[in-house]
Amino acid sequence: MTTRIDRRFEAVRAEGRAALVTFVMAGDPDPETSLDIVRALPKAGADLIELGMPFTDPMADGPAIQAAGVRALAAGMSLRKTLALVRAFRAEDDATPIILMGYFNPIYVYGVDSFLADARTAGVDGLIVVDLPPEEDHELCKPALAAGLNFIRLATPTTDDKRLPAVLANTSGFVYYVSVTGITGAAIPDYGKVTGAVARIKRHTDLPVAVGFGVKNAETAEAIARGADGVVVGTALVEAVRLSLSEGRATPATVEAVSAVVRDIAAGVRRVSKKAA
């Protein structure tokens, strides 16, 4: 079965460029503004959208994304409301892929079968669940695939050739290569090593490889786009939200603040042509 994620990467490949994958936290800084931000992302140049599922113990996230989750939870965001946000987005946009990213606990509490049914109905296309290793594929990965959702796995600089086949076994949609070790927003990657790492992953899979961590502006996006099928940006966007707030609340500048960063990064991605000579 071909999914929205598959179709979007095919379309971007036909354009001869990398895809831009944007991450924002669902419900940050409040549910209404969050929906407005998500609606604005494709217009600003986003090809795929990762939507964070707020969680109280986000151990793989850096301070900026942790703070975004805290703001969202304080505003009353929940997994059920996250799915409602996706449904509202889908009423206006039936093409842009939506990937939910986060941790297994909220899904477990919701109930895996109920969550997958509701996510599919809402218009979710894929899942990234950072704390479920391949050894736990029976918990969520395989049921998600059976429900028609892509399950996107993370690979890191420490994922060696011996481990890669296990990581890729049930991965679909694309592979998310985390270009630095550690938490989100922590460091700038070595772009030469990124290109080599993507090539190594591609020896094991035909899936697109999107690279994240360390994308802050057009220049860093352009550097990563040269060696990857997709460029992922998250911390820069949640920081744009934070910097736009007044006393912790959204302002008239909030949506445009995020859109401006996306437009800048999208321009950097699009400067790299991947058309065959």
Side-chain angles (χ1 to χ4, degrees):
M1 183 185 70
T2 302
T3 66
R4 282 190 191 93
I5 295 172
D6 299 327
R7 290 192 291 273
R8 182 53 55 96
F9 272 103
E10 288 169 5
V12 167
R13 191 180 303 114
E15 291 179 29
R17 64 176 179 86
L20 176 57
V21 185
T22 54
F23 171 94
V24 291
M25 183 65 67
D28 178 31
D30 60 72
E32 296 77 15
T33 306
S34 180
L35 176 57
D36 289 340
I37 290 170
V38 175
R39 284 171 169 158
L41 292 172
K43 301 181 185 74
D47 296 301
L48 299 90
I49 297 170
E50 291 177 2
L51 202 53
M53 298 178 284
F55 180 47
T56 53
D57 187 24
M59 66 251 189
D61 295 323
I65 292 178
Q66 285 192 20
V70 169
R71 290 192 297 268
L73 291 169
M77 202 60 176
S78 65
L79 186 50
R80 202 168 295 279
K81 289 181 179 179
T82 299
L83 295 179
L85 188 158
V86 176
R87 278 195 301 274
F89 175 81
R90 279 280 170 251
E92 300 178 7
D93 186 326
D94 193 46
T96 304
I98 294 277
I99 300 141
L100 296 186
M101 183 171 185
Y103 300 83
F104 183 51
N105 182 269
I107 296 171
Y108 177 80
V109 171
Y110 194 109
V112 168
D113 292 342
S114 296
F115 167 75
L116 292 174
D118 291 351
R120 185 71 193 274
T121 300
V124 173
D125 301 293
L127 303 174
I128 301 174
V129 181
V130 300
D131 56 345
L132 278 183
E135 290 75 16
E136 304 296 330
D137 274 358
H138 62 281
E139 293 276 5
L140 181 64
C141 175
K142 290 181 179 178
L145 295 174
L149 298 175
N150 287 127
F151 200 89
I152 294 117
R153 191 82 71 186
L154 303 180
T156 73
T158 61
T159 309
D160 60 21
D161 286 331
K162 184 177 179 181
R163 179 64 174 167
L164 260 177
V167 169
L168 298 171
N170 292 308
T171 299
S172 66
F174 64 95
V175 180
Y176 185 162
Y177 179 66
V178 178
S179 57
V180 295
T181 54
I183 57 175
T184 57
I188 298 293
D190 180 324
Y191 301 117
K193 289 182 179 178
V194 166
T195 300
V198 170
R200 182 171 66 87
I201 293 168
K202 283 182 163 294
R203 289 197 289 270
H204 293 264
T205 182
D206 294 328
L207 290 171
V209 180
V211 176
F213 285 47
V215 178
K216 301 181 184 302
N217 49 37
E219 289 68 36
T220 51
E222 181 180 359
I224 287 179
R226 291 192 189 102
D229 301 304
V231 177
V232 186
V233 59
T235 297
L237 303 187
V238 300
E239 275 293 272
V241 172
R242 181 185 68 83
L243 293 170
S244 77
L245 304 179
S246 177
E247 297 181 353
R249 297 179 183 275
T251 67
T254 296
V255 175
E256 173 54 27
V258 179
S259 296
V261 176
V262 174
R263 284 195 298 270
D264 176 58
I265 290 171
V269 170
R270 285 162 171 78
R271 284 201 290 262
V272 179
S273 174
K274 293 179 176 289
K275 289 187 181 294

